[in-house]
Amino acid sequence: MMNYIEWNNLLGDQLFKQKRKEQEVFLFLTKEQVIEAGWQAAEAPGAFDPDEEAGECLDDAYIWRNFLGCVKAGPAGAGGNSTPLLDRTYKCFTRWLALRPAGKSLGERILRQNGEEILVRHPLHLAYLLLFTMPFGSGGAAMTSRGYYDSLNNWLHDNNLLPSGGRVDKIALREIGGEGGWQRMWQSVGEWSTVTCGGALGAVRNRANAWPAWPYVGWPLAQCLLPPRALQQLKQFFVKNNLVPGIPCPPARMRQLLLHTSGEELSLPQLTRTSLAHAESELGNSIVEMVLGMLRTWNGSTNYSRRTSYPGEDGHPRSGKEQEMGETMARLMPFVQLDPANERVIWYHRVRIQIPLPDDFTLHGSGYEPTPCPTATPEWSAPVRNLGIGFSPKVLYDPVNRWRAVYRPTDTQLFVAASRYGLPHWAPVEELEQGVEMLLLCREGEIGGHVRAWGQAFGARGSFLELKDYDGIPEGHCLFRLKNPVNACPGVGELVLATGARLVAEGGMRWAARTYLQALPPGFRLINAAGEHSVCMRLAEGQVLTLERDSSEPNKWYLPREAAGAGSFTVFVAGLELATDGYRYELAQPVTSPAVNGIKKGPYNDDLTGQAPDMAGTGMVVFYNGYQLEEACLPVKNPAALWSPPHNWHNSAASSPLEKIRNHMMVYSPIFNPVVGNHWHGTGESGKGHDELLHLLTTKGKLTLAEFSAAYDSLWSTRHRSDQDHGLPTTVQKRGVMRLYSHMGFGDYGYRKDSEQITALAPTLLALPTRTASVRRMLLTGGRTPALLGLVREYIRCSAPEIELLITGPDASNRTLILPDTIVLQTAAHNEEAAKNKFGALAQACGIRYIGYEAHVPVELVLFAGSLRQYAEKLSPNPHVARDGWRKKVFVPSALKWQDVADDESFKQGKHLMEYTLSDFERRYVWWDDGCPHQVDKNWGRYLALYEAQERVIIQDHEMIAVPAAAPLPELLARALVLLSGHAPTTDQLPCKNGLRRFNVYRQPGAGLLIHLLTQNLGQA
């Protein structure tokens, strides 16, 4: 059952989230939001226990009563309902101050109670403070001092949180905890969010410190000037007024926009509107500052979630949260290619990325040909050309994904070398910087005159040159090249000097705050510092080393070679005092992290629980019992028999199953050609040390798609430093690599806690199929570190020299991907018992999980995945899985493509697979079967559609199985094929009935029976 601390943790989780990093958080939740949080908690068994005999059921009313009961009781030691509400609040506050940090996640503390350690994720008095803001936001009398006390007390009495006759007033607030006790309770939450957590979960601003006229009511008031509904409406307010993230908006204009927006469009309380109408009002200025802060930290998305109700299996109403896809705003910014040799400039634009671009992001516009616009770096899209630089705004749309990209010309625009973003040419920046060359584009006329006069004052310390005769300068504009300005430009308010030099860490394989894997340390860039400087590092023992300057970028430095194994160090610039001088960095060896919870959802938040067929399906199978083929019912007692055809296939005597096969009564014959020789599949060259990303995954235990992408981009940039035009891999490609990591056995990939992620698996030795009786092989998969590999090598050298360690890099066709090496252990052993003794001892000595020859994982994965028929039988209709208003696509089996459709009515009849996009990265896949919708896994759903259309798209023979890249195998089956060798599939263009098509090719000689069972289960045999 829920208690006060669990509710406090739950409500804190609603307010403080990683996705709100550095955004302002308001301590305000409505009754509806509290209930919604309760429904999330209800997903855990035992969270609520309604008394059905007394007529109770789990509904909104029950959850609200449970919350009120828990805040009445409070945590142990708070005094319970007999203690006044304010006293309970203050006791929780003082108890929170006495708790020690948990040392696990940001801001957590440990509470010891009845011999048990309880994790408190947020300030212990947070839930009580929320009670003092819930009456706010409704307008009217509640938004004055006296009106607030009346509304608060009425609300507390209505919810039975105050005894009869009890009252909270100004005197009670002034006396609680002595002088300043009421204020300290609020201030402590702000300090916890900004100092302890560093704003990483959002930040509560203690604005009431600046409101002396509101010493008591001001604290809850500051949280409610923009109530939750208004905060949700602000995104649409920004869109309506063409306010784009990153484009400055003057405070006076923002004030006018707020005042001229109707109450239906923006639900502002009366006090908020009254304060905005008075230019000198402290509250009014704070409100404008709040909204501008929201605009600065807004990522451009207007996606939102809403709670829907539907009948549960027991007949009682249930509610769930559904995502709705809104419009997304993004900023188009100019880039410039400077060609001094030919005295010309070329202009183009890029989209400034605040949230990941959709996979199929394509821009349209009036007179502008539709152009795909993929991601180039984490900050910027690929170039958008032919927009020009003019005086009027330009807007491009992606109507399918509902994005709007806006270019808004400014009077001035500064540029620096785009190499700081890993791009060529010149990129836009907001402020004048020291120590780097800059370009300045500005409008001719008064502004141009101010700039020319300003340039004459640069003197010998700087440089200033007007590029007068260059072709390509936009009409009505002038272009300058400058370095080290002595001051801001008089008369041009936009041209301001950046304050203070900064030393910024770039790249590297970061797995914690300022902590990097030793194999890939960061570089350091010095920003806004004129003159020649040396960047140095000071090791823990006091030794000072000078960093090595990049030969092509004078403001970029790298750690020297002698810093390898440095451990802890600080970085400083000789002769400069920087705010980062005290920051300590760590170079850490990879370590194996504790196991984390498994994946329960697919990569698009599709629920995987209950979708997998039962272990070991039913049906007939032909298998090899060691000396002849037999026919039997699944499950097979010895699944190892499915590994390969018999070695004497051509010479073996006919048996009943064999005759059936040869007479085409069973369609196994095409894959039964034997493979001779001892060669094993390993077409890659010797290992090239592709393991850095695997080391990071092993060390962190899990990586979200964003974390994986950042690390992947860093590693990619390091390896392609000389090829800046190449760009970064797309999100689609990186998502595909995450899947390959999962298929290769390094982790589990799926959707968990609002994000795609991969969780590391324990280091494991896994049996591989053998092609000769005298050789046994095992694959080292799961997480690993250099230390683990060194331990394996040392054990082999000292205790088992007969074991070979074979390391191969990715296949040549996968060289553009960052994939780990494949590591295989091989030894001569005439039976499995002898091999088990050798490999088992090695595993035990090195702390590696050992899966012996009695359990062949790929076979078990295929059996566990079951067949398409079994999958379809387990599906159950769900009328709530799809709804009008979402983007819709239908899968076209003949073309293996998804086609956008405006209306899905015609596809609901018959058998069709539909994709519904709820938000940019949350999708549902629905199998429509004669008007009944069934939520399905994307890959299983595709093969259902292919089967119904009688499309056979998989190519196979005795050497390989080729699967169209546009119709990947379901996850378990793809992993089964990869774990037959440990190698990722290669990619190749192969002929099919529609011409050439790109295939993922799994070359697994000798596993013909298993491959055929797999294709038969998919309806592709």
Side-chain angles (χ1 to χ4, degrees), residues 160 341 692 732 919 1000:
N160 199 26
E692 297 95 337
V732 176
S919 61
N1000 295 323

Side-chain angles (χ1 to χ4, degrees), residues 59-78:
D59 56 13
D60 290 357
Y62 175 85
I63 291 175
W64 180 246
R65 288 197 304 272
N66 182 276
F67 167 70
L68 294 177
C70 289
V71 294
K72 287 178 192 175

Side-chain angles (χ1 to χ4, degrees), residues 23 189 198 264 299 392 499 508 584 609 614 645 649 669 747 796:
Q23 297 180 16
V189 181
E264 292 183 359
N299 62 12
S392 58
T499 56
R584 184 161 295 279
T609 57
D614 294 335
W649 165 252
S669 54
I796 291 174

Side-chain angles (χ1 to χ4, degrees), residues 415-434:
F415 302 86
V416 297
S419 56
R420 70 169 55 175
Y421 300 113
L423 293 170
H425 310 139
W426 297 77
V429 291
E430 301 295 332
E431 297 178 314
L432 291 162
E433 297 179 6
Q434 302 288 332

Side-chain angles (χ1 to χ4, degrees), residues 658-903:
L658 183 58
E659 290 296 335
K660 290 182 180 180
I661 292 171
R662 286 180 172 170
N663 292 329
H664 300 285
M665 296 173 68
M666 294 182 181
V667 287
Y668 287 96
S669 54
I671 58 171
F672 261 70
N673 298 329
V675 181
V676 297
N678 296 328
H679 174 73
W680 64 286
H681 173 59
T683 57
E685 58 188 46
S686 297
K688 291 292 186 182
H690 296 71
D691 287 8
E692 297 95 337
L693 199 50
L694 176 57
H695 296 162
L696 178 68
L697 173 62
T698 306
T699 301
K700 288 201 70 171
K702 64 180 178 181
L703 292 173
T704 64
L705 176 60
E707 292 169 335
F708 186 92
S709 294
Y712 197 95
D713 291 342
S714 177
L715 195 53
W716 179 274
S717 300
T718 300
R719 294 187 174 184
H720 299 82
R721 193 174 291 159
S722 61
D723 186 16
Q724 292 178 331
D725 284 312
H726 195 81
L728 290 175
T730 65
T731 301
V732 176
Q733 292 169 324
K734 287 178 282 194
R735 185 183 286 120
V737 174
M738 284 181 77
R739 284 196 176 98
L740 286 176
Y741 272 58
S742 176
H743 298 166
M744 296 173 77
F746 301 126
D748 273 332
Y749 168 68
Y751 193 100
R752 186 170 179 269
K753 287 190 176 179
D754 301 328
S755 173
E756 292 173 65
Q757 67 178 239
I758 185 169
T759 59
L761 296 175
T764 303
L765 276 182
L766 184 68
L768 288 175
T770 182
R771 308 257 303 281
T772 62
S774 60
V775 176
R776 305 290 171 172
R777 301 163 53 235
M778 299 204 85
L779 175 69
L780 177 60
T781 186
R784 64 174 180 252
T785 65
L788 176 65
L789 201 53
L791 190 61
V792 171
R793 284 195 175 102
E794 184 65 15
Y795 179 87
I796 291 174
R797 186 182 69 83
C798 298
S799 305
E802 68 277 14
I803 296 179
E804 293 181 78
L805 183 66
L806 307 173
I807 303 178
T808 56
D811 186 90
S813 68
N814 289 329
R815 196 58 49 81
T816 57
L817 306 177
I818 300 176
L819 294 174
D821 295 330
T822 296
I823 299 179
V824 173
L825 303 178
Q826 177 174 296
T827 188
H830 290 278
N831 56 63
E832 293 178 357
E833 191 63 30
K836 178 180 179 181
N837 291 336
K838 294 179 181 181
F839 291 131
L842 180 148
Q844 185 175 7
C846 299
I848 299 173
R849 182 185 176 204
Y850 177 78
I851 299 180
Y853 287 89
E854 67 279 359
H856 293 278
V857 171
V859 175
E860 294 177 357
L861 287 172
V862 172
L863 297 177
F864 179 72
S867 68
L868 199 62
R869 175 183 59 80
Q870 292 169 317
Y871 185 82
E873 289 174 351
K874 288 181 68 68
L875 297 177
S876 58
N878 181 358
H880 305 284
V881 70
R883 198 174 69 249
D884 292 337
W886 295 337
R887 177 186 174 184
K888 308 173 186 69
K889 290 183 180 181
V890 64
F891 180 65
V892 183
S894 60
L896 294 185
K897 291 182 178 179
W898 295 91
Q899 177 181 321
D900 274 292
V901 294
D903 184 16

Side-chain angles (χ1 to χ4, degrees), residues 480-617:
F480 303 90
R481 189 167 187 166
L482 55 96
K483 185 176 181 180
N484 293 337
V486 293
N487 52 25
C489 179
V492 185
E494 297 89 345
L495 292 179
V496 296
L497 286 171
T499 56
R502 294 179 290 137
L503 190 63
V504 179
E506 290 186 354
M509 194 68 74
R510 186 174 72 90
W511 67 275
R514 296 193 293 277
T515 301
Y516 297 80
L517 294 188
Q518 207 167 75
L520 196 63
F524 290 87
R525 183 181 297 277
L526 184 59
I527 297 176
N528 196 36
E532 288 293 319
H533 298 281
S534 293
V535 179
C536 306
M537 61 186 299
R538 181 176 287 108
L539 307 186
E541 59 272 17
Q543 182 184 1
V544 175
L545 301 175
T546 301
L547 274 64
E548 298 174 357
R549 189 190 297 264
D550 189 296
S551 59
S552 59
E553 292 190 69
N555 289 330
K556 183 76 177 288
W557 281 265
Y558 299 98
L559 301 187
R561 292 185 178 180
E562 55 266 36
S568 176
F569 64 94
T570 58
V571 181
F572 64 94
V573 180
L576 287 181
E577 290 187 9
L578 304 179
T580 57
D581 280 348
Y583 289 1
R584 184 161 295 279
Y585 296 85
E586 297 280 345
L587 294 183
Q589 288 284 2
V591 295
T592 302
S593 65
V596 296
N597 293 332
I599 299 295
K600 294 183 175 62
K601 292 192 175 183
Y604 284 113
N605 202 15
D606 43 329
D607 191 0
L608 297 182
T609 57
Q611 288 194 5
D614 294 335
M615 181 70 171

